[in-house]
Amino acid sequence: MALNKAKVITVTSVKGGTGKTTTVLNLAGVLANLNKKVVILDLDLYSGSVAASLNLDKGSDIFTMCEDMMNNRFQTFDKYVAPYNEYIDVIASPLDPRNVNKIKANYIEIILSRLILKYEYIIIDTNHIIDNLNLVVLDQSDTVLYTITNDLMDLKNMKTMVSIFKDMQLNNFKIILNEARLNNTSYSKEDVKSLIGAPVDYVLPKNFYNKNIEKFVFEGKIMILDKSIASSKGGSTLEKIIKDIIKE
Ligand SMILES: Nc1ncnc2c1ncn2[C@@H]1O[C@H](COP(=O)(O)OP(=O)(O)OP(=O)(O)O)[C@@H](O)[C@H]1O
Ligand SMILES: [Mg+2]
């Protein structure tokens, strides 16, 4: 029997604070609503916030996992994975930032190869830095989602990234224009397309801005698991992203 392998979705950006983590959580929420088993891997190693956003405190994290692997004492995934609900599991970023530089990209590759056999979807949160680890992660991803804002510096940096992707003949990336993140819509979808040299695949509309987001974070809740948010325009965009990925 052929083994089903998880699809790897990485959410990244060319600038901090563009809405990656919020998007990661909501995409996991969409998958959960579709009864798909997903693990969120928080590889924003220095300032990961997935576990904290969901009020999860497993006491072990991606560093513990790598360290146990290096020392041949890796146990079952249950030791490292924090369940959020029936469908969503989380592997936290290092709880102690002093451990970050001990994490090696080749162990992340091994961990990914194992997670792929255990889940239907892996969603990876990242930081916006192009380092060796992120390059390995991009290489292992089926879909790379870039969240960008209406900020000109963000758009200029995205233009550079688009030309790098074109140079490398990579076309598995999609661009999400997050209008909910900045209260600034000086550039339309068409403007953004000509500024960055690639089409905008999805738009998270301005009205997806949620003034109560801190309440969700405080309570460890995922926005899109709220029915009214799921049925909003932004909710439908996130659902479309997942449905497109499922079809691929
Ligand atoms: N739809 C939204 N409505 C209200 N606030 C939002 C929304 N999306 C994101 N934010 C807020 O914007 C800030 C940045 O969002 P988020 O943490 O998702 O971005 P990020 O790209 O992961 O940031 P970083 O690069 O620091 O990891 C957070 O304080 C978050 O709560
Ligand atoms: Mg983040």
Side-chain angles (χ1 to χ4, degrees), residues 12-246:
T12 191
S13 64
V14 287
K15 181 178 168 293
T18 57
K20 295 179 292 296
T21 302
T22 310
T23 303
V24 162
L25 297 175
N26 282 320
L27 292 176
V30 172
L31 285 165
N33 282 339
L34 297 169
N35 299 351
K36 307 281 186 197
K37 188 86 182 144
V38 52
V39 63
I40 303 175
L41 177 56
D42 191 351
L43 292 183
D44 183 358
L45 297 181
Y46 281 101
S47 49
S49 51
V50 173
S53 299
L54 300 178
N55 289 345
L56 296 172
D57 185 7
K58 179 82 182 170
S60 57
D61 55 42
I62 187 71
F63 167 70
T64 335
M65 214 167 170
C66 288
E67 199 192 29
D68 283 0
M69 226 168 231
M70 283 185 270
N71 294 303
N72 287 323
R73 47 168 201 248
F74 180 84
Q75 298 177 24
T76 58
F77 274 103
D78 303 352
K79 181 181 170 196
Y80 315 96
V81 169
Y84 176 70
N85 65 19
E86 191 184 342
Y87 296 104
I88 303 173
D89 284 346
V90 172
I91 300 173
S93 60
L95 303 167
D96 182 342
R98 289 172 298 183
N99 290 326
V100 172
N101 59 6
K102 297 178 199 153
I103 295 178
K104 301 283 174 266
N106 57 325
Y107 282 96
I108 299 292
E109 248 183 307
I110 297 169
I111 288 167
L112 274 175
S113 68
R114 295 195 187 178
L115 290 174
I116 279 171
L117 302 176
K118 211 176 137 49
Y119 290 89
E120 294 177 88
Y121 292 87
I122 300 171
I123 305 188
I124 305 178
D125 195 6
T126 61
N127 58 29
H128 63 283
I129 296 159
I130 295 292
D131 58 11
N132 186 37
L133 174 70
N134 280 339
L135 286 173
V136 165
V137 167
L138 293 183
D139 193 50
Q140 300 284 314
S141 303
D142 295 296
T143 303
V144 177
L145 298 170
Y146 271 90
T147 55
I148 60 169
T149 63
N150 232 300
D151 170 273
L152 188 54
M153 212 51 239
D154 194 0
L155 299 174
K156 284 187 171 178
N157 288 341
M158 194 62 223
K159 182 180 184 195
T160 310
M161 191 50 74
V162 167
S163 49
I164 292 173
F165 274 126
K166 281 188 181 158
D167 233 32
M168 293 168 74
Q169 296 186 318
L170 291 172
N171 52 15
N172 62 337
F173 71 97
K174 295 263 165 49
I175 295 173
I176 306 172
L177 175 61
N178 189 355
E179 293 186 342
R181 191 46 204 109
L182 284 186
N183 196 16
N184 164 11
T185 41
S186 31
Y187 304 108
S188 69
K189 194 176 157 182
E190 283 312 305
D191 295 335
V192 172
K193 180 180 172 183
S194 55
L195 278 166
I196 67 177
V200 169
D201 298 282
Y202 306 99
V203 179
L204 276 175
K206 227 173 163 176
N207 64 9
F208 195 64
Y209 175 79
N210 189 320
K211 64 178 180 358
N212 296 321
I213 196 162
E214 283 192 4
K215 185 170 180 287
F216 283 89
V217 175
F218 187 78
E219 293 175 358
K221 287 189 175 153
I222 295 178
M223 265 163 54
I224 210 160
L225 294 180
D226 178 296
K227 285 206 168 62
S228 66
I229 295 178
S231 61
S232 70
K233 210 171 150 205
S236 313
T237 301
L238 291 158
E239 193 180 321
K240 170 99 173 65
I241 295 172
I242 288 299
K243 292 208 162 147
D244 288 347
I245 290 172
I246 290 175

